[in-house]
Amino acid sequence: MENNDLRGRGGPARRTFVVGTLGAGATALGIGGVPALAAGGGRRKVAVLGGGVAGLTAAQELAERGFEVTVWERKELGGKSRSIPVKGTGSGGRKDLPGEHGFRYVPGFYHHLPETMARIPAAGGGDESVHDHLVAQAGVLYSRTGGREDLQLESNPDGLPSLEEIQRLVTALVQQLGALPARETAFFARQIAIFATSGEKRRFGQWEKTPWREFLRTDEMSEEFRRMFAEGLTTHLVASRPDIASTRATGILTELYFYALAGRGSTGKLGRVLDAPTSESWIQPWVAYLRERGVRFQVGWTVDRLTLGDDGRLASAHAKGPGGEERRIEDDWFVCALPVERARELWSPELRRADPALARMDKLRTEWMNGIQYYLDRPTPVLNGFVDYLDSPWALVSLSQAQYWGDFPAEYGDGKAAESFSVNIAQWDEPGILHKKPARECTPEEIAEETLAQMRAALEDTGRTVLPEKSVLRWHLDPAISYPGGGSTAANDEPLIVSEAGSWDNRPGHRTAVPNLFLAADYVRDNLSCATMEGANETAKRAVNALLEAAGSDADPCAVHELYAPPEFRLLRKADDVRYRLGLPHVLDTPWKF
């Protein structure tokens, strides 16, 4: 049975609308200073539990509509998107070297997040917004081992590509296509065409429950096919394995990337990055703006219990402070913006009985994707974009950041570091090539050595020297990776939700059966159904819209966007809905022999 309700998307009492341009923001929404009028005796106090992207988004939307908002955050504002300075590394008036959970990337097909960024004043005053500090990337490099030429998809901002660039691209394409049997390439193209023209009923009724590996029939395919199309589109991008990843969620990301490459359904660029460390260019100006709007922040406080009242509403939340002190939170409304592994710890037996959707969250799965940064004594741009190491056992993706961050040696550290080379590690269970151990069984030093070895195996196997040993000044592993009790096996304080096949039914909506409790996080039902900043932002806006309706507020709702669908596919998708209702396969889904 189809189940694609976002729980809060519509309804006769809704006044939601869709905008297609950035910045149809404060002025068009009428949220410049008119306070919201709330029902229920003027109930306007909101407790936002969690200060990541979802929590800060909810705080902004509510504060702009006149609600009194307090954000409760156990660690640092910004969540996984914050910068994590390497303490004690700055000297001579410079800031500490910037570390992070993983580098920030804003694909062109994101719409909710850029709309919010366009409404946040940039640091330093003036008319600029945070969105103005996003820098376009030219492309992506798929780096290969075994002496094969890397596949570089990059536009040349200075004009036509050079003869050397053309030669390398042609060589790489011939090598990639030559390593893939022609019928496998044709099969992948057919499967993408099937998904792109599948109706919503089939997407939720069939593809949601089909693992990506099964959809691509990888057991019948070559190793090269599995590397490029199975693992490259799941583990490397969203930390989910192809044997468990939902075809619906993976297919959506895949088609949106292809549409963005073609310049369709995007904000005009393949992707963007910030022109300075995340907290400096985004989180700090965001928090400053929210403080100006009256938002209060309680950082270092861990919410550990929720109490349900006799009237079926949430009566209170309970938090513990940095010194062990306790506080009872008795606001009118609650937006839970905690990550899934922490939110479900709050669901008492009473709450689970009140809303069975909360109990189903126990079935949601998390995996690891954490970052490590290398600080080098020379700029190491590699290219204007990110590098995907398709053959790396640990599913590495890297970004050289100093090329976007101005005069790095003058701003950060002791003046010696000229590069912040940030790497995401998405596979923690496969043995490496140097120490022959999975990442979660390695020490931090071994993780640093192994990650470098795997990158060098790809970047330097054609004779280039990209990451010389003597250039690496130091490294910084995400502090969410720890070793409890001094043991040899790592623990992760900040894992990611993954879209396991069939997990949509276990994702809750933005509303709950508790009238004053709403959910905002990337595990909540959203368009992308993956661990993304876009999903966190979207779900916060939908949660706020549901809260506005429940409060009887006269404020305009948050702008929400639907997924891009090519106009020429709409009739095909409707026809497929008919076929699905009749129990028929997709019209292109015919027997295929290899």
Side-chain angles (χ1 to χ4, degrees):
M1 180 178 179
E2 180 185 13
N3 188 2
N4 63 347
D5 174 32
L6 288 183
R7 296 181 69 184
R9 171 179 289 179
R14 306 285 298 160
R15 287 172 295 149
T16 56
F17 57 93
V18 178
V19 298
T21 58
L22 291 176
T27 302
L29 287 172
I31 55 179
V34 180
L37 298 179
R43 291 175 172 171
R44 297 173 55 200
K45 292 186 176 181
V46 185
V48 175
L49 313 180
V53 171
L56 295 180
T57 300
Q60 176 176 345
E61 300 294 350
L62 288 163
E64 288 176 340
R65 289 162 175 80
F67 285 80
E68 300 175 26
V69 182
T70 304
V71 176
W72 300 80
E73 166 57 40
R74 73 184 180 100
K75 292 178 75 171
E76 299 287 344
L77 297 174
K80 297 184 184 71
S81 296
R82 72 193 187 281
S83 301
I84 306 172
V86 186
K87 293 181 179 180
T89 56
S91 64
R94 302 177 190 86
K95 290 167 278 193
D96 285 339
L97 290 169
E100 57 199 353
H101 175 83
F103 64 81
R104 307 266 66 77
Y105 176 67
V106 181
F109 57 79
Y110 282 13
H111 292 282
H112 294 93
L113 188 69
E115 189 271 338
T116 293
M117 288 179 157
R119 289 161 41 216
I120 303 171
D127 296 330
E128 286 191 330
S129 71
V130 167
H131 187 271
D132 294 322
H133 289 263
L134 287 172
V135 181
Q137 291 185 308
V140 59
L141 175 69
Y142 295 98
S143 191
R144 308 306 303 272
T145 59
R148 285 177 291 179
E149 189 65 56
D150 297 335
L151 178 59
Q152 182 170 320
L153 304 177
E154 181 181 17
S155 61
N156 190 334
D158 299 321
L160 295 175
S162 66
L163 290 177
E164 180 183 357
E165 289 172 331
I166 293 175
Q167 181 180 9
R168 291 186 64 179
L169 176 60
V170 171
T171 300
L173 286 171
V174 170
Q175 288 179 348
Q176 304 301 325
L177 295 176
L180 273 172
R183 288 187 63 80
E184 290 187 3
T185 303
F187 175 76
F188 177 75
R190 188 197 76 156
Q191 294 303 95
I192 295 302
I194 287 175
F195 185 84
T197 55
S198 289
E200 291 296 291
K201 295 184 182 301
R202 190 179 306 280
R203 289 187 177 209
F204 282 92
Q206 182 177 359
W207 303 139
E208 166 62 25
K209 299 174 175 62
T210 303
W212 185 243
R213 183 174 70 179
E214 181 180 324
F215 180 71
L216 294 184
R217 294 168 61 177
T218 57
D219 290 343
E220 305 173 49
M221 302 296 177
S222 64
E223 177 64 23
E224 185 72 7
F225 182 96
R226 291 192 289 271
R227 289 280 188 192
M228 292 189 66
F229 300 136
E231 296 171 5
L233 294 172
T234 54
T235 309
H236 289 245
L237 296 181
V238 289
S240 184
R241 303 198 317 262
D243 59 322
I244 66 170
S246 158
T247 290
R248 184 188 67 84
T250 308
I252 286 173
L253 284 181
T254 303
E255 67 176 353
L256 289 177
Y257 269 116
F258 284 146
Y259 296 152
L261 280 169
R264 304 183 66 180
S266 74
T267 52
K269 301 293 182 182
L270 180 63
R272 293 180 171 91
V273 295
L274 289 159
D275 63 2
T278 311
S279 290
E280 185 178 329
S281 57
W282 176 22
I283 304 300
Q284 291 172 5
W286 200 1
V287 172
Y289 170 65
L290 295 180
R291 289 188 191 278
E292 290 177 1
R293 301 303 301 240
V295 176
R296 296 180 294 274
F297 295 96
Q298 298 289 346
V299 179
W301 288 81
T302 300
V303 178
D304 60 3
R305 184 161 53 94
L306 303 178
T307 301
L308 193 64
D310 295 336
D311 59 356
R313 295 173 62 88
L314 202 63
S316 61
H318 302 260
K320 289 185 178 179
E325 61 272 35
E326 297 186 3
R327 189 173 298 180
R328 183 182 177 95
I329 307 166
E330 297 180 307
D331 289 0
D332 304 309
W333 310 95
F334 295 83
V335 177
C336 183
L338 299 172
V340 61
E341 72 278 2
R342 299 198 175 275
R344 59 192 174 195
E345 291 179 354
L346 298 179
W347 310 147
S348 64
E350 293 77 17
L351 280 169
R352 289 165 182 259
R353 284 194 296 269
D355 190 345
L358 301 180
R360 290 196 295 273
M361 283 173 53
D362 291 340
K363 299 178 182 178
L364 294 175
R365 180 170 182 155
T366 60
E367 296 285 352
W368 294 16
M369 179 184 276
N370 297 71
I372 184 171
Q373 290 80 51
Y374 296 90
Y375 306 101
L376 295 90
D377 65 3
R378 66 193 68 182
T380 313
V382 182
L383 87 160
N384 178 8
F386 64 85
V387 181
D388 190 339
Y389 303 83
L390 281 177
D391 302 311
S392 58
W394 288 3
L396 306 178
V397 181
S398 74
L399 179 72
S400 49
Q401 297 176 307
Q403 62 182 311
Y404 309 109
W405 288 356
D407 191 343
F408 192 84
E411 292 288 331
Y412 305 99
D414 59 3
K416 296 179 181 178
E419 177 65 82
S420 173
F421 202 81
S422 187
V423 190
N424 286 344
I425 304 171
Q427 174 55 272
W428 289 73
D429 297 308
E430 288 293 322
I433 64 175
L434 181 64
H435 295 290
K436 312 298 182 184
K437 294 190 296 185
R440 68 173 72 232
E441 296 179 11
C442 290
T443 65
E445 291 76 16
E446 290 172 335
I447 290 174
E449 294 166 355
E450 180 71 51
T451 302
L452 269 178
Q454 292 184 30
M455 290 191 295
R456 287 178 178 140
L459 293 174
E460 302 180 2
D461 70 334
T462 54
R464 296 172 294 166
T465 300
V466 181
L467 298 168
E469 191 75 42
K470 62 181 180 180
S471 294
V472 180
L473 300 175
R474 63 183 302 149
W475 49 267
H476 175 258
L477 181 64
D478 180 2
I481 301 298
S482 63
Y483 297 80
S488 58
T489 301
N492 190 349
D493 190 52
E494 298 183 10
L496 295 179
I497 184 73
V498 294
S499 296
E500 192 173 11
S503 61
W504 178 263
D505 289 341
N506 299 322
R507 288 176 176 262
H510 319 92
R511 303 170 184 267
T512 72
V514 179
N516 63 335
L517 174 62
F518 305 88
L519 306 181
D522 55 11
Y523 67 85
V524 179
R525 291 178 177 179
D526 68 327
N527 287 333
L528 295 181
S529 300
C530 291
T532 62
M533 297 183 294
E534 174 78 351
N537 185 271
E538 177 195 339
T539 57
K541 290 176 176 177
R542 293 187 184 276
V544 168
N545 285 346
L547 190 155
L548 292 176
E549 183 179 334
S553 172
D554 63 354
D556 287 322
C558 308
V560 294
H561 310 258
E562 302 306 328
L563 290 176
Y564 173 75
E568 58 268 34
F569 288 173
R570 287 173 184 165
L571 289 178
L572 295 173
R573 290 184 177 186
K574 288 182 178 179
D576 186 58
D577 279 339
V578 175
R579 291 184 62 88
Y580 184 80
R581 282 198 298 265
L582 294 174
L584 299 174
H586 190 282
V587 67
L588 298 178
D589 197 359
T590 57
W592 185 282
K593 294 182 180 180
F594 297 94

